[in-house]
Amino acid sequence: MNSSYQSAIIDLLRHGTIAGDPGLYGHTDIALSESGWRQMQQSVSIDLQYQQVLSSPLQRCHRFAKDYSRRHALQLTTDPMLQEMNFGTWDGHTFDQLQPRWPELEKFWETPAEVTPPEGESLLGFKNRVEQAWQTLLQQCRGTQTLVVTHAGVIRMILAQLLSVDWQSADYYQRLRIDYGSITRIQILYTEDGIYPQIRFIGRPSPAI
């Protein structure tokens, strides 16, 4: 490997708990709860060396990212590619409200790559979008430590790519826990021979959890 290289650290911060009952809030622009804000604040209080912030445009990510970047005089980039999966007509409904659709939802949980939410995003489409976002991140974050404020689904899909696991498997999504307000850190080595990502840790919980 050539001795000439650059490095980067990308911290993927999942938004904190939301101000609403449990449900499917993919593209729905639901707000953070007060405890969710505290979770995110305490997670990033440990790491203050960021040179830039990137965020999903949804307010549960973007309001915190905007406040954090303003307080630390950092550039903020908003990227719609970092949004959560779009669950179509299921999106924005609580699980109680979705009870009449439960047989359809169970099929989706069991075979997510084969069942697409009505008027929503397929898992393959979501995968392709996140992979494109990741390639953009690799270029934007070169030589920096970057905070990326996003969603659990996005983080899981990035990890699936880096770990070469089966992104179509329901077991993968059900067994990989990404807590509210947690951080997943990826260190990148850039050389003349290629780009080499290494996962440092996954889902470090917020001290507020």
Side-chain angles (χ1 to χ4, degrees), residues 34 88 90 111 140 159 183 193:
E34 290 185 10
W90 300 339
T111 54
Q140 287 179 309
L159 291 173
I183 286 182
D193 303 315

Side-chain angles (χ1 to χ4, degrees), residues 86-112:
N86 183 352
F87 296 106
T89 59
W90 300 339
D91 214 307
H93 296 284
T94 68
F95 290 127
D96 285 343
Q97 292 170 334
L98 288 167
Q99 283 296 328
R101 311 293 294 273
W102 211 250
E104 297 172 71
L105 280 167
E106 284 192 324
K107 291 179 182 177
F108 174 68
W109 302 137
E110 292 167 1
T111 54

Side-chain angles (χ1 to χ4, degrees), residues 159-185:
L159 291 173
Q161 178 183 350
L162 297 181
L163 294 169
S164 300
V165 302
D166 182 6
W167 60 270
Q168 300 180 77
S169 168
D171 287 343
Y172 169 69
Y173 301 102
Q174 293 166 8
R175 293 176 182 175
L176 179 59
R177 177 167 170 167
I178 305 292
D179 281 322
Y180 286 117
S182 67
I183 286 182
T184 294
R185 175 167 292 177

Side-chain angles (χ1 to χ4, degrees), residues 1-9 51 137-145 186-198:
M1 184 179 294
N2 193 289
S3 60
S4 175
Y5 66 89
Q6 284 184 306
S7 63
I9 289 177
Q51 284 83 53
L137 279 176
L138 287 176
Q139 299 309 314
Q140 287 179 309
C141 300
R142 183 188 292 259
T144 71
Q145 181 164 332
I186 302 167
Q187 186 167 359
I188 317 292
L189 186 65
Y190 301 83
T191 77
E192 293 181 1
D193 303 315
I195 300 175
Y196 301 91
Q198 183 181 57

Side-chain angles (χ1 to χ4, degrees), residues 9-13 44 47 50 54 145-150 183-186 201 204:
I9 289 177
I10 299 175
D11 280 354
L12 303 170
L13 172 65
V44 297
D47 301 284
Y50 299 120
L54 286 84
Q145 181 164 332
T146 300
L147 178 66
V148 178
V149 189
T150 186
I183 286 182
T184 294
R185 175 167 292 177
I186 302 167
F201 51 78
R204 183 186 71 188

Side-chain angles (χ1 to χ4, degrees), residues 9-191:
I9 289 177
I10 299 175
D11 280 354
L12 303 170
L13 172 65
R14 185 190 180 189
H15 63 80
T17 55
I18 56 171
D21 293 328
L24 282 181
Y25 302 106
H27 277 207
T28 300
D29 203 12
I30 192 167
L32 273 180
S33 66
E34 290 185 10
S35 63
W37 188 281
R38 288 194 299 271
Q39 287 169 340
M40 298 172 78
Q41 183 60 54
Q42 292 193 35
S43 280
V44 297
S45 67
I46 301 170
D47 301 284
L48 300 177
Q49 299 85 29
Y50 299 120
Q51 284 83 53
Q52 61 176 337
V53 181
L54 286 84
S55 178
S56 159
L58 297 176
Q59 64 173 313
R60 58 191 185 269
C61 297
H62 195 264
R63 286 189 174 178
F64 180 85
K66 184 176 180 181
D67 177 77
Y68 184 87
S69 59
R70 178 188 56 79
R71 287 188 290 108
H72 295 278
L74 299 174
Q75 176 182 339
L76 172 62
T77 301
T78 305
D79 187 352
M81 302 288 277
L82 294 171
Q83 293 183 88
E84 185 57 280
M85 186 173 175
N86 183 352
F87 296 106
T89 59
W90 300 339
D91 214 307
H93 296 284
T94 68
F95 290 127
D96 285 343
Q97 292 170 334
L98 288 167
Q99 283 296 328
R101 311 293 294 273
W102 211 250
E104 297 172 71
L105 280 167
E106 284 192 324
K107 291 179 182 177
F108 174 68
W109 302 137
E110 292 167 1
T111 54
E114 298 174 15
V115 177
T116 299
E119 300 179 28
E121 190 172 21
S122 70
L123 191 65
L124 176 60
F126 181 54
K127 169 185 175 289
N128 291 339
R129 168 162 67 83
V130 173
E131 284 186 355
Q132 185 178 340
W134 175 247
Q135 292 305 313
T136 301
L137 279 176
L138 287 176
Q139 299 309 314
Q140 287 179 309
C141 300
R142 183 188 292 259
T144 71
Q145 181 164 332
T146 300
L147 178 66
V148 178
V149 189
T150 186
H151 308 266
V154 173
I155 296 170
R156 288 191 180 98
M157 197 59 83
I158 289 173
L159 291 173
Q161 178 183 350
L162 297 181
L163 294 169
S164 300
V165 302
D166 182 6
W167 60 270
Q168 300 180 77
S169 168
D171 287 343
Y172 169 69
Y173 301 102
Q174 293 166 8
R175 293 176 182 175
L176 179 59
R177 177 167 170 167
I178 305 292
D179 281 322
Y180 286 117
S182 67
I183 286 182
T184 294
R185 175 167 292 177
I186 302 167
Q187 186 167 359
I188 317 292
L189 186 65
Y190 301 83
T191 77

